[in-house]
Amino acid sequence: MIIKNGYRVAHVVATRQLGLAPRYMPIMLMFITDKCNLRCRMCGVCELERDRSAEKELSTEEWFGVIDAAERLGTTLVSISGGEPLMRADLYDMIRHAHGKGMTVHICTNGTLMNADRAVKLRDSGVSTVSISVESPRAEVHEHLRGKGTFVPALGAIKMLRETAPDIRVGINYLITRQNYKNMAEMVEFAESLGVHQIKFAPIHTNLLHRLKHIEQYADLLFTRENMHDLEEQVKLLSDACAKSSLLTTSTTFFSGIADLYSTPHAFRCYAGWAAVAVGPTGLVTPCADMDGSLSVRQRPLDEIWRSREFHEQRKCVQSCDSACWDTTNTELSLRLRPTALAGEFLQNWRDIKFYFGGKK
């Protein structure tokens, strides 16, 4: 499997450099619902839910067809999110179907809907990794962002998974905002105390899944020029704390570009549409969640879309994209796929591979 994946990664890197359409699709991002039980201050998914309220989400069988097509494209990692994926009762059927095709399955959740029954179902369906959003070691800061009464359930979800399903590797997603950036370094030790395997830090954006949110609703979370010096200092403290920790975490290169997102964002060769694809709740397929699209798995199978001339035109939009992005999906993946990183950051890449692919099959 490692040799096969190594060949496919090399193929993707080569086709991206040449601007050609890749044969393989290593990663599929499944946004299975826009519905969410929370109304987080910075998230635009709720706006998506309203915009798509008249459209039916893909059924279980339709998602099975998407997964079957991904298998034909050599997909080995499926990341399921939303909205809140635990709001779909058929989540476990999707996980089981992808797992049965030999794919590693990761889910992203806010954790507040987790209970013993759901933890057992996740364990038994074959999910490999779960990331839960925790925005601070302090309840009042987390709940300022995620809503009242969300802190204890999020921590409870981590505890429940560690006790009920110890083979599932658990991570924390931490969104860096003006309200919690001074808690970042202490969050590393707090995460260790929770027994998680990984913690990822990403700066707040005004695009990606936040793009439909009216900026005045979360302007106090965004960084300004006056915050830049403090942010740089806090990121340095965070990077030092992560270097001393045994937790898997954000890469050194990613840390170095966090503050620059708000001044002069780093340019990088993005692999959206080459290494990964985004499939939305109603079946629209795009290289990146920040892009609008018209190609739907309800009209054509995903593997036909991936190889189509129309989708390759969207890849060309990725080549010319000038959006300010520094996220833990496409940005971090793209940074890891640079030839210098593949060689120079081999150990960290290997540890990340083991996080996603190292569990029981």
Side-chain angles (χ1 to χ4, degrees):
M1 176 64 78
I2 291 175
I3 294 174
K4 184 186 292 185
N5 281 340
Y7 167 76
R8 290 172 180 173
V9 167
H11 170 81
V12 167
V13 170
T15 54
R16 175 64 180 92
Q17 290 179 328
L18 297 171
L20 303 175
R23 181 183 309 166
Y24 304 108
M25 188 185 78
I27 300 169
M28 178 166 63
L29 310 176
M30 291 172 51
F31 296 90
I32 63 173
T33 183
D34 288 328
K35 296 180 176 64
C36 188
N37 61 311
L38 301 185
R39 292 295 181 265
C40 300
R41 294 196 56 231
M42 61 288 180
C43 184
V45 171
C46 300
E47 281 73 10
L48 277 172
E49 183 181 350
R50 287 196 292 270
D51 287 351
R52 295 172 176 164
S53 59
E55 301 177 66
K56 288 186 64 175
E57 294 179 347
L58 294 182
S59 67
T60 311
E61 289 300 321
E62 285 176 313
W63 276 117
F64 284 177
V66 172
I67 293 166
D68 292 344
E71 181 190 24
R72 295 193 290 271
L73 291 170
T75 298
T76 53
L77 176 62
V78 173
S79 180
I80 301 177
S81 62
E84 173 48 55
L86 289 175
M87 292 192 73
R88 284 198 59 150
D90 57 355
L91 168 66
Y92 317 99
D93 297 320
M94 297 179 207
I95 295 170
R96 191 174 293 109
H97 193 74
H99 178 70
K101 299 291 183 180
M103 301 174 192
T104 291
V105 183
H106 172 77
I107 72 165
C108 298
T109 172
N110 61 49
T112 59
L113 296 178
M114 190 69 68
N115 56 32
D117 179 60
R118 290 186 172 113
V120 168
K121 286 180 177 178
L122 286 173
R123 179 195 68 196
D124 294 346
S125 64
V127 73
S128 293
T129 56
V130 176
S131 291
I132 295 172
S133 298
V134 182
E135 314 301 359
S136 174
R138 304 178 187 184
E140 66 275 13
V141 178
H142 173 91
E143 294 186 357
H144 178 71
L145 298 172
R146 295 278 172 183
K148 188 174 181 180
T150 58
F151 185 69
V152 171
L155 301 191
I158 293 172
K159 185 174 186 289
M160 196 170 297
L161 285 171
R162 297 301 297 125
E163 293 176 352
T164 306
D167 288 337
I168 295 176
R169 295 172 301 287
V170 181
I172 287 174
N173 289 332
Y174 188 105
L175 182 70
I176 303 169
T177 73
R178 188 147 50 103
Q179 303 299 322
N180 68 351
Y181 76 106
K182 292 185 178 180
N183 302 147
M184 294 187 299
E186 64 180 297
M187 185 66 194
V188 177
E189 184 176 352
F190 183 68
E192 290 174 333
S193 74
L194 297 174
V196 300
H197 305 83
Q198 181 196 67
I199 183 166
K200 290 281 189 176
F201 296 87
I204 188 169
H205 285 66
T206 56
N207 54 349
L208 302 176
L209 292 181
H210 312 285
R211 63 192 173 121
L212 295 182
K213 194 77 162 183
H214 296 298
I215 200 164
E216 62 270 14
Q217 294 180 269
Y218 66 109
D220 63 317
L221 306 182
L222 300 174
F223 292 97
T224 64
R225 188 181 302 276
E226 290 72 28
N227 307 128
M228 285 302 97
H229 179 69
D230 278 351
L231 178 58
E232 289 170 357
E233 286 192 340
Q234 292 297 324
V235 170
K236 178 63 168 61
L237 291 173
L238 170 61
S239 182
D240 290 344
C242 287
K244 297 172 185 175
S245 173
S246 61
L247 293 176
L248 294 168
T249 189
T250 312
S251 71
T252 302
T253 306
F254 189 91
F255 277 135
S256 70
I258 286 175
D260 291 331
L261 174 67
Y262 306 104
S263 52
T264 308
H266 291 201
F268 62 95
R269 178 181 284 127
C270 185
Y271 279 81
W274 273 268
V277 72
V279 184
T282 61
L284 291 178
V285 181
T286 56
C288 171
D290 196 37
M291 300 174 67
D292 295 317
S294 59
L295 303 174
S296 172
V297 298
R298 283 182 163 146
Q299 274 74 55
R300 280 190 283 178
L302 178 61
D303 51 332
E304 289 187 19
I305 291 174
W306 180 259
R307 297 184 176 117
S308 69
R309 176 186 57 79
E310 297 95 324
F311 192 77
H312 196 56
E313 289 301 312
Q314 292 192 24
R315 288 193 189 98
K316 293 178 182 178
C317 293
V318 172
Q319 287 179 304
S320 59
C321 177
D322 59 359
S323 294
C325 287
W326 205 252
D327 71 306
T328 54
T329 303
N330 284 318
T331 303
E332 182 80 286
L333 175 64
S334 299
L335 293 174
R336 297 291 182 90
L337 288 177
R338 295 174 306 157
T340 52
L342 288 171
E345 299 175 11
F346 175 81
L347 182 59
Q348 185 166 21
N349 288 334
W350 176 250
R351 292 181 70 209
D352 276 348
I353 289 169
K354 288 187 69 177
F355 175 75
Y356 291 105
F357 296 98
K360 293 182 179 181
K361 292 293 184 184

